[in-house]
């Protein structure tokens, strides 16, 4: 066995052969860490991943929270009646003409930082505050995008409220999740059959393109909010939003889908298969909706569209939400109808908030960037009013709409502009270079439909370009069906643009009727059966840094390290899983480690990641430290040699799973067969 002195490590790998004995890199290497010493065990070379059936925790109810950029909601179902998905019938407050089964992702905290309200209630209360008083309150909206855009996300990352004050992002997210937890568990008063919280499986949705630090951040926020405890971490599932949508779309009947290609519902053999069972199901659904308008029924099997699909058929789910567009490609497997991801999740920041930003830029062109910045800072509540007014008109925009759209300017805006500039907003419009926005004497901006549609173009074009780039990949050839889901998919402008761009390619574009609730309902179904997505693609290459025996001609001279007469190549990147590699659910990559010192309480190993599959060294461009694998040893066992084990040799076998929505790790002390506390931290960098 290779002994390792007390020194900083970069990690290790356990494969060994006569020419290759990897050991940890020493402190003199370009990248080191402060950690506990460990020694590698060398039972075999590159052990193959093993697949274990994931253990399912028992639960009585699934509660899913769709935490969106612009709107959020929750839904639940009982294990005893999984076909019925229950959700809010109507949130308090709301805007005319807008569905109320979700509420705006708006959080209001008191000037002291205590929770006050969430959703419509928060927005309306903030709106009614005196302008001077509003400056002291902390109002957060669209804050989910901060987690996506932060390149150095940690538990100390700060969020800025509308008034410019900051507080830890973790506390902001925990306040919001705690609101949903308390709201959902209040249902026990209305439904005595709702069980205690320890039998609840919670599901939290995140974009598939989110990296591991962002997923861990949401889990940490859930712990802080009291959804689950760290000791019962398996009660919380992280669901990828397009996957949840995919799971729900499998259940839809033809009358629940809008085919943008204009094909008749159930064309071909499906139209001939309308059965008595289908009629009964529709009648049952109408009955349930008339009695309990917040209850939705789903198919016990699969919907008609899915029934005509064959094993191997491929489709794309384009989740167009408030903050991001998220693309996932699935292939249908048989015999159980499980799904296989064909290409890693892709997308970008092309959500509905892009249209809001385009409107803000338009206002800056008319009234001046400095004025808009000052108005947002000194009249934060009035700025929120203006964004609400724009949101209402944005929802009515369409490619074939005739007539102008009027957007109300708050009186505070008109008055503040006159005081700041010395002339009125009508003069500003007349002097600006923007000639497609006029002033209405009723105190409104009058915008032509063409002008409104122009605000959509950068975001819509970004979505279409992402879809076209994905369809050009050789791994996804043969896709004939695209599901357009997410809140932004309700937009007629987006629907028309996607169909115009992709319909000519023979792609069938389908939109569920309740498109804004697709992810939420799918998250409930995912909580019932998280194994439905059987194979995923690793978005990145993960591994650790090791020493290998130096081979002249193969290894660069600058990597040569001589110690105790032996020649080593330092900083070698030893791979656990490669980018684009297919990884089955439950598939484990195992490594064994041995504490180097008696009484050692902790083993810490740095993890590295990169987008390339062929990285050789942890110093290569694009390779970065992304986290740390931590193994916590029981104090009572530290330094004790167990019966039958060689002195000092205590094997800790760690198993990492890369096929789930999160990277997970478990560890066991081989000699005692006792579990070792193990975790991966992606937020400590």
């Amino acid at each position: 066995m290779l002994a390792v002195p007390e020194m900083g490590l970069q990690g290790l790998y356990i494969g060994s052969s006569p020419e290759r004995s990897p050991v940890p890199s020493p402190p003199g290497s370009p990248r080191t860490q402060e950690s506990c010493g460990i020694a590698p065990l060398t039972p075999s070379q590159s052990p193959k991943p093993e697949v274990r059936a994931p253990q399912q925790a028992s639960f009585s109810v699934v509660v899913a929270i769709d935490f969106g950029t612009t709107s959020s909601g929750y839904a639940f179902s009982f294990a005893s009646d999984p076909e019925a998905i229950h959700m809010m019938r109507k949130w308090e407050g709301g805007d005319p003409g807008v569905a109320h089964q979700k509420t705006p992702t708006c959080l209001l905290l008191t000037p002291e930082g205590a929770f006050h309200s969430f959703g419509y209630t928060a927005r309306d209360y903030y709106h009614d505050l005196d302008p001077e008083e509003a400056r002291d309150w902390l109002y957060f909206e669209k804050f989910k995008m901060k987690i996506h855009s932060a390149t150095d996300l940690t538990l100390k990352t700060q969020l800025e409220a509308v008034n410019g004050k900051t507080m830890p992002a973790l506390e902001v997210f925990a306040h919001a999740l705690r609101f949903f937890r308390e709201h959902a568990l209040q249902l026990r008063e209305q439904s005595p059959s709702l069980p205690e919280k320890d039998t609840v499986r919670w599901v939290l949705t995140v974009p598939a393109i989110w990296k591991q630090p962002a997923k861990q951040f949401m889990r940490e926020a859930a712990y802080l909010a009291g959804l689950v405890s760290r000791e019962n971490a398996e009660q919380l599932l992280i669901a990828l939003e397009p996957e949840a949508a995919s799971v729900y779309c499998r259940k839809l009947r033809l009358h629940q889908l809008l085919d943008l290609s204009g094909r008749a519902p159930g064309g071909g053999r499906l139209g001939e298969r309308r059965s008595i069972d289908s009629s009964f199901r529709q009648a049952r659904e109408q009955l349930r909706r008339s009695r309990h308008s917040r209850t939705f029924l789903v198919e016990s099997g699969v919907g008609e569209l899915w029934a005509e699909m064959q094993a191997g058929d491929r489709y794309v789910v384009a989740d167009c939400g408030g903050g991001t567009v998220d693309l996932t490609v699935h292939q249908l497997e048989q015999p159980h109808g499980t799904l296989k991801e064909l290409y890693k999740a892709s997308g970008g920041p092309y959500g509905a908030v892009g249209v809001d930003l385009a409107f803000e830029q338009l206002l800056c062109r008319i009234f001046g960037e400095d004025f808009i910045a000052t108005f947002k800072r000194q009249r934060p509540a009035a700025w929120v009013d203006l964004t609400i007014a724009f949101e209402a008109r944005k929802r009515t925009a369409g490619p074939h709409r005739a007539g102008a759209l009027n957007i109300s300017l708050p009186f505070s805006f008109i008055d503040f502009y006159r005081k700041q500039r010395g002339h009125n907003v009508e003069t500003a419009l007349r002097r600006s270079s923007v000639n497609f926005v006029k002033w209405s004497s009723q105190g409104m901006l009058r915008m032509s439909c063409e002008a409104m549609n122009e605000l959509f173009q950068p975001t819509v074009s970004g979505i279409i370009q992402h879809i076209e780039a994905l369809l050009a990949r050789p791994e996804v050839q043969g896709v004939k069906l695209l599901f357009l889901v997410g809140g932004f998919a309700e937009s007629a402008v987006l629907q028309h643009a996607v169909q115009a761009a992709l319909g000519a390619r023979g792609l069938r574009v389908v939109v569920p009727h309740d498109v804004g609730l697709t992810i939420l309902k799918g998250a409930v179904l995912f909580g019932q059966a998280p194994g439905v997505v059987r194979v995923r693609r690793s978005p990145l290459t993960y591994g650790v840094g090791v020493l290998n025996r130096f081979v002249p001609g193969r290894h660069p001279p600058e990597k040569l390290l001589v110690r105790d007469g032996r020649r080593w190549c330092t900083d070698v990147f030893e791979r656990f899983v490669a980018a684009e590699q297919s990884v089955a659910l439950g598939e484990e990559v195992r490594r064994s480690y041995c504490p180097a010192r008696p009484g050692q309480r902790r083993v810490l190993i740095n993890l590295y990641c990169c987008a390339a599959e062929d990285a050789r060294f942890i110093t290569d461009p694009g390779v970065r430290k992304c986290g740390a694998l931590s193994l916590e040893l029981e104090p009572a066992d530290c330094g004790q040699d167990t019966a039958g084990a060689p002195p000092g040799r205590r094997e800790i076998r760690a198993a990492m799973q890369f096929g789930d929505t999160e990277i997970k790790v478990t560890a066991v002390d081989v000699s005692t067969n006792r579990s070792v506390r193990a975790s991966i931290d992606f937020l400590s960098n």
Side-chain angles (χ1 to χ4, degrees):
M1 182 181 71
L2 295 168
V4 180
E6 297 180 16
M7 58 184 177
L9 303 177
Q10 291 167 322
L12 58 90
Y13 169 78
I14 65 163
S16 176
S17 67
E19 288 107 10
R20 183 174 177 225
S21 297
V23 295
S25 299
S29 302
R31 302 183 188 183
T32 61
Q33 73 180 46
E34 294 182 2
S35 73
C36 303
I38 49 179
L41 299 180
T42 56
S44 63
Q45 176 162 355
S46 300
K48 293 182 179 180
E50 297 186 16
V51 177
R52 284 187 176 183
Q55 295 183 348
Q56 301 296 338
S58 60
F59 61 94
S60 300
V61 63
V62 172
V63 180
I65 301 173
D66 180 12
F67 196 102
T69 300
T70 55
S71 61
S72 300
Y74 75 93
F76 63 95
S77 70
F78 297 102
S80 58
D81 188 14
E83 296 178 34
I85 298 177
H86 310 269
M87 57 200 312
M88 282 299 296
R89 179 167 53 246
K90 183 178 180 181
W91 289 94
E92 181 182 348
D95 302 319
V98 179
H100 300 316
Q101 285 157 338
K102 296 176 77 174
T103 193
T105 309
C106 304
L107 174 70
L108 181 62
L109 306 180
T110 67
E112 296 74 31
F115 176 83
H116 180 273
S117 51
F118 185 88
Y120 285 117
T121 306
R123 193 196 68 182
D124 295 344
Y125 189 92
Y126 187 62
H127 164 273
D128 292 337
L129 285 172
D130 179 85
E132 294 299 320
E133 187 182 5
R135 296 185 189 183
D136 297 324
W137 287 66
L138 289 82
Y139 182 78
F140 298 89
E141 61 177 357
K142 301 181 176 68
F143 49 90
K144 182 181 174 184
M145 279 298 290
K146 174 69 174 181
I147 306 306
H148 171 72
S149 58
T151 56
D152 55 347
L153 181 65
T154 70
L155 295 178
K156 297 181 180 179
T157 295
Q158 298 285 308
L159 279 181
E160 185 176 313
V162 173
N163 64 357
K165 295 182 180 180
T166 62
M167 74 177 303
L170 191 69
E171 293 184 21
V172 174
F173 278 81
H175 277 306
L177 292 177
R178 191 178 297 113
F179 164 80
F180 280 107
R181 171 188 174 276
E182 294 175 356
H183 208 287
L185 294 182
Q186 282 175 359
L187 292 169
R188 189 178 295 114
E189 301 173 4
Q190 307 171 29
S191 176
S193 62
L194 193 66
E196 295 301 319
K197 63 180 180 180
D198 58 352
T199 57
V200 174
R201 166 176 280 171
W202 295 90
V203 182
L204 195 54
T205 65
V206 303
I209 58 174
W210 269 17
K211 296 181 174 59
Q212 292 297 330
K215 296 176 185 177
Q216 182 186 337
F217 181 92
M218 292 300 288
R219 180 170 283 277
E220 294 290 340
Y223 292 151
L224 185 59
L227 259 66
V228 300
S229 65
R230 295 182 188 277
E231 292 70 29
N232 296 303
E234 70 282 353
Q235 282 185 238
L236 172 65
L237 296 179
I238 299 294
L240 307 183
E241 289 165 358
E243 283 191 1
S246 180
V247 171
Y248 180 65
C249 287
R250 302 170 72 220
K251 301 285 188 177
L252 292 176
R253 311 291 296 181
L254 288 178
H255 69 276
Q256 297 171 311
L257 297 167
L258 171 64
D259 193 333
L260 298 183
S261 65
R263 302 182 192 182
R269 50 184 175 151
L270 284 185
E272 302 163 5
R273 287 198 327 200
R274 294 279 182 166
S275 61
I276 296 177
D277 176 67
S278 175
S279 300
F280 273 123
R281 281 194 168 276
Q282 291 184 46
R284 181 179 173 221
E285 182 174 0
Q286 291 171 2
L287 177 63
R288 288 291 290 269
R289 287 194 178 189
S290 65
R291 295 172 60 188
H292 306 284
S293 59
R294 69 180 181 191
T295 299
F296 295 82
L297 293 182
V298 295
E299 291 292 296
S300 57
V302 296
E304 295 151 309
L305 184 62
W306 235 261
E308 75 170 350
M309 297 176 69
Q310 306 295 323
D313 281 356
R314 305 170 171 193
Y315 62 94
V316 175
V317 176
D319 171 23
C320 304
T324 58
V325 57
D326 222 2
L327 306 178
T328 294
V329 187
H330 280 160
Q331 184 177 57
L332 187 65
E333 293 187 318
Q334 291 290 13
H336 302 296
T338 51
L339 304 175
K340 175 181 180 181
E341 187 179 37
L342 288 183
Y343 185 68
K344 66 179 181 180
S346 60
Y350 294 99
V353 295
V355 184
D356 302 336
L357 291 175
F359 176 65
E360 183 176 335
Q361 292 166 3
L362 175 64
L363 294 178
C364 289
R365 289 173 57 192
I366 298 172
F367 302 107
E369 190 171 343
D370 57 335
F371 169 77
I372 295 298
T374 303
F375 178 73
K376 290 171 66 175
R377 184 174 61 254
Q378 297 193 22
R379 297 289 187 271
W383 172 255
V384 171
D385 288 347
L386 179 53
T387 60
I388 293 171
F390 174 71
E391 175 69 22
R393 307 313 294 155
K394 182 179 73 174
R395 289 175 177 270
T396 66
H400 306 299
R401 178 190 170 99
L405 297 99
N406 292 328
I407 300 170
S408 299
L409 277 183
F411 173 77
S412 177
F413 185 99
I414 298 171
D415 182 62
F416 192 73
Y417 184 81
R418 182 176 52 79
K419 291 177 179 178
Q420 291 284 314
R421 291 291 200 253
H423 56 264
N424 58 31
V425 294
E426 184 177 3
T427 302
L429 274 165
R430 194 165 54 247
R431 291 178 178 179
S432 76
S433 59
V434 179
N435 53 19
F436 47 78
V437 178
K438 306 298 182 184
W439 176 247
S440 168
S441 57
Q442 287 82 23
M444 298 180 178
L445 295 178
R446 190 167 178 80
M447 180 180 295
S448 69
C449 288
E450 293 78 12
M452 176 64 83
N453 291 338
E454 279 297 314
L455 298 180
F456 281 78
Q457 290 316 303
T459 301
V460 170
S461 297
I463 292 173
I464 293 173
Q465 288 172 13
H466 267 81
I467 296 175
E468 290 179 331
L470 176 65
L471 295 175
R473 301 284 308 185
E475 301 95 325
V476 301
Q477 295 304 299
V479 169
K480 298 294 184 183
L481 184 64
L482 181 141
F483 287 97
L484 198 61
V485 303
F488 194 25
E490 296 176 346
S491 167
V493 176
L494 178 61
Q495 291 181 9
H496 180 267
V498 171
Q499 174 60 29
L502 304 177
R505 304 175 55 143
L507 196 67
R508 188 177 179 186
V509 182
V510 176
V511 183
H513 282 173
D514 54 352
V515 62
L517 302 175
T518 301
I519 292 167
L520 179 53
K521 296 178 183 178
V524 175
L525 298 176
F526 179 81
Q528 296 171 0
V532 64
V533 182
R534 194 188 63 83
V535 178
R536 291 183 175 89
R537 296 269 179 164
S538 177
L540 296 171
T541 298
Y542 290 94
V544 294
V546 303
L547 293 181
N548 275 352
R549 296 188 188 278
F550 187 85
V551 179
R554 187 201 304 176
H555 296 142
E558 62 271 19
K559 295 294 183 183
L560 173 63
L561 173 72
V562 179
R563 169 161 293 180
D564 299 328
R566 306 184 72 176
R567 294 160 60 87
W568 302 99
C569 179
T570 188
D571 294 328
V572 175
F573 182 79
E574 198 61 71
R575 192 174 67 191
F576 285 170
V577 64
E580 298 299 330
Q581 179 179 332
S582 292
V583 190
L585 185 65
E587 187 171 313
E588 294 181 345
V589 178
R590 294 185 179 181
R591 300 290 186 267
S592 291
Y593 309 107
C594 180
R597 304 186 307 274
Q600 187 171 312
R601 299 277 294 274
R602 189 183 188 205
V603 173
L604 189 65
I605 306 153
N606 276 345
L607 297 176
Y608 295 89
C609 67
C610 62
E613 301 177 34
D614 56 353
R616 298 181 60 202
F617 302 99
I618 62 173
T619 53
D620 286 353
V623 180
R624 60 182 178 86
K625 180 192 170 190
C626 63
L629 170 62
S630 177
L631 304 176
E632 304 288 343
L633 309 183
E634 290 290 337
D637 293 339
C638 287
Q640 295 182 3
D641 293 330
T642 54
R649 181 184 175 102
R650 179 186 178 194
E651 181 181 352
I652 307 299
R653 182 176 297 157
M656 280 168 278
Q657 293 186 12
F658 292 89
D660 214 327
T661 57
E662 300 172 273
I663 297 176
K664 299 178 180 179
V665 61
T666 56
V668 65
D669 188 330
V670 175
S671 57
T672 63
N673 202 34
R674 291 177 60 179
S675 295
V676 174
R677 188 180 181 92
S679 61
I680 299 180
D681 184 8
F682 292 101
L683 291 169
S684 61
N685 299 324

